[in-house]
Amino acid sequence: MPARQKGRNVVKLILDTDIGTDVDDCLALAFLLGSPEIEWTGITCVYGDVLLRARMVAKLLTLAGRPDIPIRLGASQTLLGIRSIYWEGHEGEGLLEASPSDPHIDPENAVDFIIRSVMDDPGGIHLLAIGPLTTVALALSIEPRLAQNMAGLTIMGGALRGRESLDLPIAEHNIACDPEAAQVVLASGAPITLVPLDVTTQCRIQREDVALLRARGDAFHAAVADQVERYPFFARHGYTYLHDPLAAAVMLRPDLVELTSVNVAVETEGRLTSGMTVMTLPKADSPAPVSVALQVDAAAAEGFIRERLRA
């Protein structure tokens, strides 16, 4: 059970992020920085230009007055090295200077850091993965006992695509970027909570929410608001989805969603379905099931996220 501090559950956290163009990683970090339950173990950056991602994290931490939170670099390539890296090209605009100095990055590799942190504190560390699962898969491959020693592993990723959600993509981005890594993680037996597109697309941040962030009047909240407004999807539509913040919120408040125990396999070879998460009801001889959020109290989740973003 997590420790308690002043009436709150304390969550010792490692955040694994691919912060970049899509502003949901930035919002998830802001949400977590506004959450007093979080006891930071560290932040790891995954996929593509991980140093640029680390620079974004470091700038936000400095603006928030939390430069003490350590940052480590994770996998820049996919697990098998057979898939190209998707890069939208907007990463860091408006947040990083033209010629910034590199932030202080702990030299320990993120894979080694995750293994060491979890194995030194069995049942104590929660891992929140809001990017492609390459670094987590590497850690589990090197140290399979990691799965049984995590306090929990919350993942933003995947999609069930029921009858009411056929408009969702067949393969969600985080899974599709490295399906082989996702399959390793989802079959590991770790205590996984999966927060898929079926629920994250029901939760939004709107223009009025961004105005409330700016109204806080400090550099950190202004930077977060600016990143939201620069995100191309938000600029076109006046809202964007709270994918990663919802995963963070579910980690702290599982009551926001209805969890269903399923087996999840990842399609790695399909010509039309690569990265698809295939969810089936558990059977006696099937691998360890995953708890998947398939229903959400969207109003309560949005309210909780807004509250922490403004903290």
Side-chain angles (χ1 to χ4, degrees), residues 195-280:
V195 183
L197 293 178
D198 306 79
V199 290
T200 65
T201 52
Q202 296 184 46
C203 299
R204 300 180 177 188
I205 184 170
Q206 314 269 2
R207 292 195 188 279
E208 53 266 34
D209 302 318
V210 179
L212 290 173
L213 283 179
R214 287 197 179 279
R216 292 284 283 107
D218 59 81
F220 172 69
H221 288 90
V224 173
D226 181 70
Q227 287 295 290
V228 177
E229 291 172 337
R230 286 175 181 269
Y231 179 40
F233 185 94
F234 184 90
R236 291 194 303 270
H237 299 283
Y239 71 89
T240 190
Y241 298 114
L242 293 167
H243 302 297
D244 294 341
L246 181 61
V250 168
M251 180 185 67
L252 298 182
R253 280 192 54 190
D255 63 293
L256 293 171
V257 295
E258 180 181 316
L259 295 170
T260 302
S261 183
V262 299
N263 288 117
V264 184
V266 181
E267 175 58 65
T268 60
E269 298 178 2
R271 182 173 64 87
L272 299 177
T273 57
S274 180
M276 181 179 182
T277 43
V278 181
M279 303 185 192
T280 56

Side-chain angles (χ1 to χ4, degrees), residues 41-52:
T41 301
I43 298 174
T44 58
C45 297
V46 65
Y47 194 73
D49 190 342
V50 291
L51 179 57
L52 186 150

